[in-house]
Amino acid sequence: MLDSLEHGLSDSLLNELVIELEKQRSLKAPQLTQSKNIVKADIPINSEQNRNDHAQMVAAICHHLLNELGADRFGEVGRNSYGIQRSGDALTVERLQGDRQIILQVKGQEIEFANLSEFDIQQFEQA
């Protein structure tokens, strides 16, 4: 396990997680009751919801990664693209290359800050 930490995590492990998350997202939600006169499909998906979905996906991948490593930190400047730190139920993801900056902060299930670029999202989806 320490060797995999030094050389980066296996892509297959992260790919399995992404596949499972996509399966969960594709499950149909139960239809809302007729008394509300609203069907979930009639509610437009806005960019805010899309942003939250991506942030939750990245957070889930990061928690899973840290659980697999048995650690609360991952990533080093010069070795990894991203740094992940967890303290209790708080999670922080930082971009370590280029302009080093925090791109995601989550406390419990609440997204406190998300500045994920399309590139960041693609990197975590492909991981």
Side-chain angles (χ1 to χ4, degrees), residues 19-29:
I19 290 169
E20 184 59 32
L21 288 171
E22 287 300 319
K23 285 180 188 175
Q24 294 297 322
R25 286 179 58 184
S26 68
L27 295 175
K28 291 190 178 201

Side-chain angles (χ1 to χ4, degrees), residues 1-5 7-22 57 60-71 74 84 123-127:
M1 183 60 76
L2 184 55
D3 187 46
S4 68
L5 179 61
H7 298 330
L9 243 193
S10 136
D11 285 342
S12 63
L13 174 67
L14 293 176
N15 283 337
E16 288 177 35
L17 178 60
V18 169
I19 290 169
E20 184 59 32
L21 288 171
E22 287 300 319
M57 178 200 66
I61 290 170
C62 291
H63 278 297
H64 183 74
L65 169 71
L66 293 175
N67 290 342
E68 288 293 316
L69 293 173
F74 173 80
I84 306 166
Q123 291 293 26
F124 281 97
E125 285 178 335
Q126 294 173 3

Side-chain angles (χ1 to χ4, degrees), residues 96-127:
L96 299 177
Q97 293 181 343
D99 290 335
R100 190 173 168 187
Q101 63 180 333
I102 292 174
I103 59 171
L104 180 64
Q105 287 184 314
V106 178
K107 183 156 178 89
Q109 294 295 316
E110 185 176 331
I111 300 165
E112 294 185 344
F113 175 77
N115 187 23
L116 297 165
S117 70
E118 281 298 318
F119 179 77
D120 296 326
I121 293 166
Q122 289 174 359
Q123 291 293 26
F124 281 97
E125 285 178 335
Q126 294 173 3

Side-chain angles (χ1 to χ4, degrees), residues 24-38:
Q24 294 297 322
R25 286 179 58 184
S26 68
L27 295 175
K28 291 190 178 201
Q31 191 171 1
L32 298 173
T33 62
Q34 291 296 342
S35 64
K36 294 182 182 178
N37 293 327
I38 298 174

